[in-house]
Amino acid sequence: MTTVPSDDILLEVKDLKKHFPIHGGLLRRVVGQVKAVDGVNFYIKKGETLGLVGESGCGKSTTGRTVMRLLEPTAGEVIFDDPKLGKVNVAKLDSKQLKQVRPNMQIIFQDPFSSLDPRMTVGRIIAEPLVINNVASGQALRDRVADLLTVVGLRPEHASRYPHAFSGGQRQRIGIARALALNPKLIICDEPVSALDVSIQAQVLNLLEDLQKQFDLTYLFIAHDLSVVEHISNRVAVMYVGYLVEMASTEELYHNPKHPYTEALLAAIPKPDPRNRHRPIRLPGDVPSPANPPSGCYFHPRCRYAKDICKVERPKLRDVGNEHWAACHFAEELQLAGVPRYGKSAHAMPLPTVPPPLPNKTKSESAPAPVSGD
Amino acid sequence: MASVPTTAPESAGKKKKVEDVGQIPQWKLMVRRFRQSRLSVAGGIVLICMYIIVILAEFIAPNDYQKIEADYQYARPSEITFAAGWPGIYAQQAILDKENFTWTVETDYSTVYPINFFVEGHSYKILGLFESNIHLFGVQAPAKLYFWGADGQGRDIFARVLKGGQVSMSVGLVGVTMVIVLGSIIGTASGYFGGMIDNLMQRTIELIQSFPTLPLWLALAAALPREMPVVQRYFFITLVLALVDWTGLARQVRGKVMAYRSADYTAAALAAGGSHLRIILTHMLPNALSHIIVVAALAIPGVILGETALSFLGLGMLPPAVSWGVLLRDAQQVQVIMLYPWMLTPGIAVVLAVLCFNLLADGLRDAVDPYG
Amino acid sequence: MSVAQQPSSSAIPTSAPESAAPEEDIVLEVQDLHVYFYTQIGVVRALNGVSFKIPRGKVLGIVGESGCGKSQTSLATMQLIPRPGKVESGKILFREFNNQEPIDLLTLERNSDEMRNIRGDNISMIFQEPMTSLNPCYTVGDQIKEAIILHQGVDKEEAHTRAVDILRKVGMPNPERIAISYPHQLSGGMRQRAMIAMALSCTPTLLIADEPTTALDVTTEAQILELMRDLQREIGMSIMFITHNLGVVAQMCDEVAVMYLGRIVEWASVDDIFYNPKHPYTILLLRSIPRLGSEEHIRLESIKGSVPDPYTRVPGCPFHPRCPSFMPGLCDVEEPPETTVDGNARHTVRCHLYT
């Protein structure tokens, strides 16, 4: 589908589908399908971050897990450029080949509590991928774990502790260390900061950015917070009811959206600026159920621009120029409002700065600072 | 490896605190929580004592549990006296009532026979291994020491309750071991793989659970040939009891495993290329273990009561083997209980054992799941 | 950034100079509230002297990270602090009407009739998870009707019309049908609307909203916020709006109290909080959220460390271990008093930089 040279592409997902059967009746026969992911197409270039946004239940997490083959895809291809095997279709690999490819794709989870086995020490948790793949053992294993802990900003002696002794942000760091253990090429970040407080969220986002530079990582960053996605992504894809509605560079997507749903999403973000209060675009009705989606374009019952064709024909995701993909019949015609551009000089709201300590008030110069680092 | 990008050091106060709790494994935290419930700890201690006593039954009991003493039919529990400054008993004698032609046992208060420790008596083997003829207590002949009286054939009830405990209290453990093996394997498989396997197992469990327990036990036990050797019979009876009880555990384990299966650490292990067997062994079972132990502890009283009930009805263990149920069978008639209430002592043993197991299991459950 | 130097650190600006606002109409005034939890491991000081006022018809936002005590503040107001928590000291003064003699809610018995009346009639509460306050066994309409009958003493038919009215008011597309639906038949956004309808059914003087939009998607969140703003203006009620989301604060609130470890570290109008923040914690919070639409990639500011665990007591200023403006010998010894900023009685901060 792409116009990008295929050498630059690390992962390409073609028409990926994941349907969950609905069982009913006494004999638990299949009475329907939840089309959690229904024909998703996207690609990720080497070294970039693709943000995948959407509201809850839109299938973004399922997409991430299906790409990893943690869920078996119903249909479609997942072409991954493995450093050893070359381009392989992950969706079709047998278990032996899959085991070879998996170290190169790792995942970071949302819930910092359920992602760490409470019965294992942090050291064992981080060592698990290394042990499974027979990468290291004995002292080498312990050294590698200590290295990984340092890389994510924890201390090597944390290895002997159990997860319950750590805060949410630290647990997320442990999860990141585990994902890094096998030197992956691609990391799928499944809402990695959604469960964290704002200040901790910033720590983890900064860490992810640093690690990307340091280890040349490629991220698929799944999130529902559009500000976070804008901050971290090079390109962004928007999902609605199991389908990609728009994909473009972050710049393009936020300032020049081509899909009415993206426009509504962007307008809904509560802006942290009291002088810029706004009324959101009213989306009538609710997000349709993926078990029983509407006809034609899934967004048409809520779309204020919908015309007759939208009720009948489902628009394909197509390149409307400049690597900007949109699944709307009127992508070229519609003039949609994005986020206003704040220039560097004309930033709407100045960032406040923390005042320095007042030297005349500091009473004991010799007292050590209570914390170090950062 | 490279430098630290962002560090998240904690305040000094927190560091100290973490060092304190951070390195304690979860199971130790559970043990700590368990220790807080005194009643459960007491239950556990009583149980440990009971098991030690039961294992050393022949050593502790002064008399042979099988020996028939025609002279001591329904002998009363020996009266313990401190007349000699040392605990002792009076001898009992069977006297023929010449008018009614019945034997009655009467106490002869003329002589005190002191209770001695570590006396020689009949020989026995502990656990079938160590042969000895030393007993913890004993009195000199012709007196006989009956702590809890004698039954209709003059056999020592104290010795019989201890000996019967070997069967009754071990049946719980052996039965529950079978429950654990069956329940965990089936429950884990059902919860982990789901789909058809799960469907099949769950329907089977529902079917087994829908049978009324007692008639099922009765039917299965009645199918065992009566001339079967004692050890074999014992094994089959526990199997019969376990066959019904594993379903509950399997359900619990299934529920737990399903939860762990959907936890992200399982996904992480899969993503690292871990095999299903490895994940089951390193993530599913260790996490479910505490629940398995609790459910097992809760199941033991049921098995003990089951064995007692079966034996009481004459379908479990059969004489000459002794178990608490077999002993209680002798106390079936109201007349016997009215005249010789000490025949009910095996019942007290059953109540004590079941009560202690329930207390223990309760504490374990609270320790494993503080919010449950 | 000149800061009014207070002559003495004992000045307490929240109980502002009488001349500043003599006829100020305060609905709820919390004074020096302390809430402690006595657990087996130790004492958790959830609230350590919280004081604030909510003027009539205004929205006060209470912001902070998890564990800062923002939810405990709301629960204490409703006398709903769960065990083993206890209100140690403080006053919660509530005035239903202007110039009325205030009632100290803490002097009322937790389960007394008066307290229950206040809870239903005068102060309503909505939660993050609507299912916690909607009973799954009754239809939405029945639950609203019950509240109306109980507190307004009207007959059933009148209650029904009022229930449908209020459902229409909260933007339900088909209020008659919604009234006969059960909570589980509604989507998350609809449930939140139903809960708001229930909370508003008795036209409360004060609405306490505890993270009402945190569980919702952004498009639904925007609509619920709009709805709450419109209703607030229409009914003229006051809102105590608890959230961790600074975007929501900016959109919703008139005044903001920033909480950290059971204390209010800064209190100001929403404009001052965003355009003239003073406390390092407030500033760092603002710097740690990604800015939408910023042209160049600005690295996020993170606050080092994390919120200390609740059992430890931090001496001095609770924020000093994480503060970049930490002044040794002062911040870790003395707890900073409340100080007004630039002589503005409506902007206070607790930081040694301004004492």
Side-chain angles (χ1 to χ4, degrees):
Chain A
M1 79 182 245
T2 69
T3 46
V4 182
S6 83
D7 278 357
D8 293 353
I9 292 178
L10 181 68
L11 181 83
E12 184 171 4
V13 171
K14 290 181 187 167
D15 214 22
L16 187 70
K17 288 183 183 172
K18 176 66 196 174
H19 296 177
F20 294 100
I22 308 169
H23 295 284
L26 191 65
L27 298 169
R28 305 191 20 91
R29 266 185 310 213
V30 177
V31 293
Q33 300 280 347
V34 176
K35 297 175 180 173
V37 179
D38 200 22
V40 162
N41 292 287
F42 63 85
Y43 56 92
I44 310 178
K45 288 182 251 179
K46 285 174 186 162
E48 76 167 357
T49 302
L50 176 71
L52 185 58
V53 282
E55 296 183 283
S56 55
C58 73
K60 53 190 192 300
S61 279
T62 312
T63 305
R65 283 170 196 241
T66 314
V67 166
M68 290 278 301
R69 274 262 315 260
L70 290 174
L71 294 169
E72 284 301 317
T74 308
E77 289 177 41
V78 178
I79 311 288
F80 178 71
D81 191 359
D82 188 84
K84 279 201 200 107
L85 302 174
K87 298 236 177 206
V88 287
N89 181 1
V90 179
K92 291 269 150 41
L93 291 182
D94 61 38
S95 60
K96 210 173 149 197
Q97 288 169 305
L98 193 60
K99 204 179 164 181
Q100 277 179 284
V101 176
R102 272 198 163 142
N104 292 309
M105 321 167 78
Q106 288 294 302
I107 182 164
I108 302 169
F109 300 96
Q110 170 179 7
D111 183 353
F113 290 88
S114 111
S115 62
L116 307 178
D117 190 334
R119 284 196 191 235
M120 290 188 173
T121 59
V122 167
R124 266 188 77 197
I125 289 170
I126 297 174
E128 192 178 24
L130 301 165
V131 173
I132 288 173
N133 291 287
N134 295 322
V135 176
S137 62
Q139 191 55 46
L141 183 69
R142 280 190 290 278
D143 289 347
R144 176 83 178 120
V145 168
D147 273 354
L148 286 163
L149 279 168
T150 323
V151 162
V152 297
L154 296 169
R155 286 185 313 235
E157 60 266 31
H158 283 143
S160 59
R161 290 189 196 160
Y162 286 83
H164 62 78
F166 294 89
S167 66
Q170 289 173 316
R171 283 160 167 261
Q172 210 54 299
R173 287 169 193 267
I174 297 165
I176 294 171
R178 173 176 60 193
L180 285 177
L182 294 168
N183 287 321
K185 293 281 161 243
L186 173 72
I187 294 185
I188 292 173
C189 308
D190 188 359
E191 305 246 16
V193 296
S194 308
L196 306 176
D197 277 323
V198 259
S199 67
I200 310 298
Q201 183 174 312
Q203 290 176 0
V204 173
L205 287 174
N206 287 343
L207 173 65
L208 286 172
E209 284 185 343
D210 292 336
L211 293 173
Q212 181 165 39
K213 272 184 223 128
Q214 199 178 343
F215 299 111
D216 198 18
L217 296 168
T218 306
Y219 291 144
L220 173 60
F221 194 94
I222 300 166
H224 67 269
D225 185 328
L226 288 126
S227 317
V228 168
V229 168
E230 190 206 25
H231 176 81
I232 200 154
S233 311
N234 304 101
R235 290 190 309 126
V236 178
V238 182
M239 240 180 131
Y240 185 73
V241 198
Y243 197 66
L244 272 199
V245 295
E246 189 165 1
M247 175 166 74
S249 71
T250 310
E251 208 11 62
E252 269 280 302
L253 191 114
Y254 278 74
H255 299 306
N256 186 20
K258 295 284 185 202
H259 196 285
Y261 177 63
T262 314
E263 183 193 32
L265 270 186
L266 293 174
I269 307 170
K271 318 266 178 316
D273 183 356
R275 292 183 190 168
N276 178 18
R277 289 197 177 172
H278 58 94
R279 297 216 151 230
I281 298 169
R282 188 169 279 270
L283 287 182
D286 287 316
V287 179
S289 152
N292 185 21
S295 64
C297 172
Y298 289 176
F299 189 59
H300 87 258
R302 310 178 73 193
C303 180
R304 52 179 176 170
Y305 310 103
K307 299 214 170 73
D308 285 345
I309 185 176
C310 302
K311 291 176 191 156
V312 190
E313 201 182 310
R314 188 178 181 186
K316 283 235 161 352
L317 188 68
R318 61 207 161 85
D319 194 344
V320 292
N322 198 17
E323 266 195 77
H324 193 142
W325 303 73
C328 175
H329 293 297
F330 306 102
E332 286 90 345
E333 292 126 69
L334 292 175
Q335 288 300 313
L336 303 176
V339 177
R341 254 172 240 264
Y342 295 147
K344 196 175 157 192
S345 49
H347 203 285
M349 204 181 112
L351 270 180
T353 45
V354 183
L358 305 170
N360 56 329
K361 283 197 180 172
T362 305
K363 284 181 184 153
S364 59
E365 290 297 336
S366 55
V371 282
S372 55
D374 203 2
Chain B
M1 214 161 262
S3 68
V4 183
T6 39
T7 358
E10 306 294 321
S11 69
K14 169 125 192 180
K15 249 184 242 166
K16 230 177 140 194
K17 182 110 193 160
V18 167
E19 237 102 54
D20 209 1
V21 236
Q23 306 199 352
I24 306 168
Q26 210 183 14
W27 66 266
K28 271 198 184 161
L29 291 175
M30 286 177 186
V31 170
R32 271 190 195 184
R33 221 149 37 201
F34 174 73
R35 285 212 190 129
Q36 284 173 359
S37 66
R38 298 224 178 109
L39 217 53
S40 311
V41 175
I45 291 170
V46 171
L47 279 176
I48 292 171
C49 295
M50 283 175 83
Y51 273 103
I52 292 172
I53 291 173
V54 157
I55 289 169
L56 301 175
E58 285 95 339
F59 167 68
I60 290 167
N63 304 313
D64 185 353
Y65 75 99
Q66 277 176 313
K67 187 143 189 246
I68 296 169
E69 297 276 357
D71 288 351
Y72 290 92
Q73 286 178 15
Y74 293 121
R76 296 175 167 281
S78 308
E79 280 175 54
I80 293 176
T81 171
F82 291 90
W86 177 262
I89 59 158
Y90 302 108
Q92 301 188 44
Q93 255 182 333
I95 291 166
L96 179 68
D97 183 340
K98 285 180 181 146
E99 279 173 34
N100 299 331
F101 274 99
T102 52
W103 289 91
T104 49
V105 182
E106 295 218 334
T107 311
D108 169 17
Y109 289 104
S110 57
T111 344
V112 175
Y113 293 88
I115 297 175
N116 298 319
F117 289 92
F118 302 107
V119 292
E120 284 187 20
H122 67 275
S123 55
Y124 57 88
K125 275 184 183 172
I126 286 180
L127 298 170
L129 292 173
F130 312 105
E131 194 164 353
S132 170
N133 61 355
I134 304 292
H135 293 261
L136 186 57
F137 317 101
V139 287
Q140 267 183 339
K144 272 196 166 292
L145 185 55
Y146 287 113
F147 279 125
W148 294 344
D151 69 359
Q153 290 165 292
R155 293 176 296 198
D156 181 5
I157 290 187
F158 181 67
R160 289 176 73 74
V161 167
L162 296 196
K163 185 69 189 170
Q166 288 187 346
V167 169
S168 292
M169 291 196 64
S170 67
V171 101
L173 295 187
V174 177
V176 157
T177 312
M178 290 191 216
V179 166
I180 288 176
V181 172
L182 271 172
S184 331
I185 292 176
I186 292 174
T188 309
S190 190
Y192 188 83
F193 294 105
M196 273 301 290
I197 300 178
D198 185 37
N199 209 356
L200 193 77
M201 305 245 181
Q202 291 314 303
R203 298 300 86 78
T204 314
I205 287 173
E206 274 157 24
L207 195 73
I208 294 177
Q209 284 188 337
S210 62
F211 281 125
T213 318
L214 202 60
L216 183 68
W217 278 345
L218 292 181
L220 287 171
L224 299 178
R226 292 189 85 81
E227 59 275 11
M228 195 181 253
V230 173
V231 177
Q232 224 175 324
R233 184 165 187 93
Y234 169 79
F235 181 75
F236 274 108
I237 292 291
T238 45
L239 195 65
V240 165
L241 294 169
L243 225 73
V244 178
D245 268 6
W246 68 267
T247 54
L249 181 72
R251 283 235 150 143
Q252 291 250 2
V253 172
R254 168 181 176 263
K256 284 286 153 196
V257 167
M258 277 172 106
Y260 304 140
R261 175 81 170 91
S262 59
D264 287 337
Y265 55 78
T266 311
L270 274 176
S275 66
H276 291 307
L277 186 67
R278 192 198 141 83
I279 289 167
I280 287 175
L281 292 179
T282 56
H283 294 291
M284 303 292 127
L285 283 180
N287 271 299
L289 190 65
S290 49
H291 291 271
I292 293 175
I293 290 171
V294 171
V295 176
L298 282 168
I300 291 176
V303 181
I304 292 179
L305 288 174
E307 185 276 333
T308 310
L310 276 186
S311 303
F312 182 76
L313 294 171
L315 288 162
M317 300 303 288
L318 295 172
V322 282
S323 77
W324 291 339
V326 172
L327 295 180
L328 281 173
R329 206 172 142 71
D330 295 338
Q332 262 180 5
Q333 289 156 333
V334 183
Q335 255 182 318
V336 175
I337 300 170
M338 296 271 286
L339 289 171
Y340 319 111
W342 54 88
M343 294 293 288
L344 275 178
T345 31
I348 296 171
V350 173
V351 170
L352 187 66
V354 168
L355 188 71
C356 288
F357 267 117
N358 277 328
L359 289 177
L360 178 78
D362 233 38
L364 285 176
R365 187 179 52 201
D366 291 347
V368 166
D369 186 9
Y371 310 105
Chain C
M1 269 198 242
S2 72
V3 170
Q5 295 290 318
Q6 288 289 315
S8 81
S9 60
S10 61
I12 301 163
T14 18
S15 51
E18 243 89 301
S19 57
E23 70 288 334
E24 202 178 14
D25 182 6
I26 301 296
V27 172
L28 188 80
E29 182 171 358
V30 172
Q31 293 177 354
D32 200 30
L33 187 65
H34 289 257
V35 171
Y36 293 173
F37 281 75
Y38 295 93
T39 68
Q40 285 186 337
I41 316 171
V43 180
V44 176
R45 285 157 218 269
L47 297 182
N48 257 324
V50 166
S51 305
F52 61 87
K53 293 174 179 178
I54 306 179
R56 191 170 304 276
K58 295 282 182 193
V59 183
L60 173 76
I62 298 184
V63 246
E65 297 178 278
S66 51
C68 72
K70 51 191 194 298
S71 286
Q72 298 308 331
T73 309
S74 67
L75 292 174
T77 311
M78 293 293 262
Q79 286 243 45
L80 293 173
I81 292 278
R83 278 173 195 288
K86 219 180 134 218
V87 177
E88 276 298 304
S89 62
K91 279 184 178 165
I92 299 177
L93 302 174
F94 175 72
R95 286 184 193 83
E96 190 181 353
F97 307 107
N98 194 7
N99 301 326
Q100 186 198 19
E101 196 52 34
I103 315 165
D104 185 354
L105 299 183
L106 291 177
T107 58
L108 301 179
E109 200 59 43
R110 220 180 143 105
N111 291 317
S112 63
D113 288 345
E114 293 140 290
M115 193 62 223
R116 277 214 301 273
N117 272 336
I118 286 179
R119 254 180 233 148
D121 257 351
N122 302 321
I123 308 180
S124 297
M125 192 160 177
I126 54 179
F127 299 92
Q128 176 176 342
E129 182 40 70
M131 282 313 260
T132 53
S133 45
L134 293 175
N135 187 330
C137 305
Y138 295 96
T139 62
V140 170
D142 281 346
Q143 295 182 50
I144 299 176
K145 261 190 278 178
E146 197 195 319
I148 293 177
I149 292 170
L150 202 67
H151 293 289
Q152 300 185 350
V154 294
D155 63 35
K156 270 192 173 168
E157 261 162 58
E158 175 63 21
H160 182 78
T161 18
R162 287 195 193 179
V164 172
D165 273 355
I166 198 115
L167 284 170
R168 185 173 295 120
K169 219 182 219 171
V170 297
M172 291 286 198
N174 189 347
E176 270 90 9
R177 196 179 54 80
I178 298 288
I180 55 166
S181 318
Y182 289 91
H184 64 88
Q185 293 170 318
L186 306 177
S187 68
M190 289 290 187
R191 270 182 218 153
Q192 204 60 301
R193 280 171 200 268
M195 189 164 68
I196 293 174
M198 216 161 102
L200 296 185
S201 60
C202 300
T203 48
T205 319
L206 173 68
L207 178 71
I208 300 177
D210 190 351
E211 305 253 8
T213 59
T214 305
L216 302 175
D217 282 319
V218 339
T219 51
T220 323
E221 174 179 59
Q223 285 167 29
I224 296 285
L225 290 179
E226 190 192 7
L227 170 76
M228 287 183 70
R229 228 163 34 207
D230 291 349
L231 289 172
Q232 186 258 332
R233 260 182 231 125
E234 199 184 316
I235 303 175
M237 62 182 169
S238 314
I239 301 182
M240 185 199 291
F241 197 99
I242 293 160
T243 182
H244 68 276
N245 186 328
L246 290 166
V248 171
V249 169
Q251 296 295 319
M252 254 326 272
C253 303
D254 302 308
E255 289 171 2
V256 182
V258 180
M259 283 188 81
Y260 187 76
L261 274 191
R263 293 168 189 83
I264 291 179
V265 295
E266 186 162 8
W267 170 75
S269 70
V270 69
D271 201 71
D272 277 341
I273 284 287
F274 283 87
Y275 283 88
N276 187 22
K278 289 296 174 206
H279 198 283
Y281 180 62
T282 316
I283 296 171
L284 284 170
L285 274 186
L286 286 169
R287 291 183 70 96
S288 66
I289 47 170
R291 287 303 161 95
L292 208 58
S294 52
E295 205 124 275
E296 55 162 3
H297 189 87
I298 309 164
R299 193 176 162 86
L300 297 176
E301 193 89 29
S302 60
I303 308 180
K304 61 190 174 187
S306 50
V307 180
D309 79 295
Y311 301 104
T312 49
R313 263 191 106 176
V314 184
C317 170
F319 188 59
H320 85 260
R322 305 176 71 190
C323 185
S325 318
F326 169 62
M327 295 178 280
L330 180 63
C331 295
D332 52 353
V333 179
E334 236 177 90
E335 197 175 333
E338 208 168 31
T339 327
T340 46
V341 174
D342 300 335
N344 177 0
R346 306 207 64 86
H347 189 169
T348 67
V349 62
R350 272 174 181 273
C351 178
H352 283 300
L353 289 171
Y354 309 105
T355 49

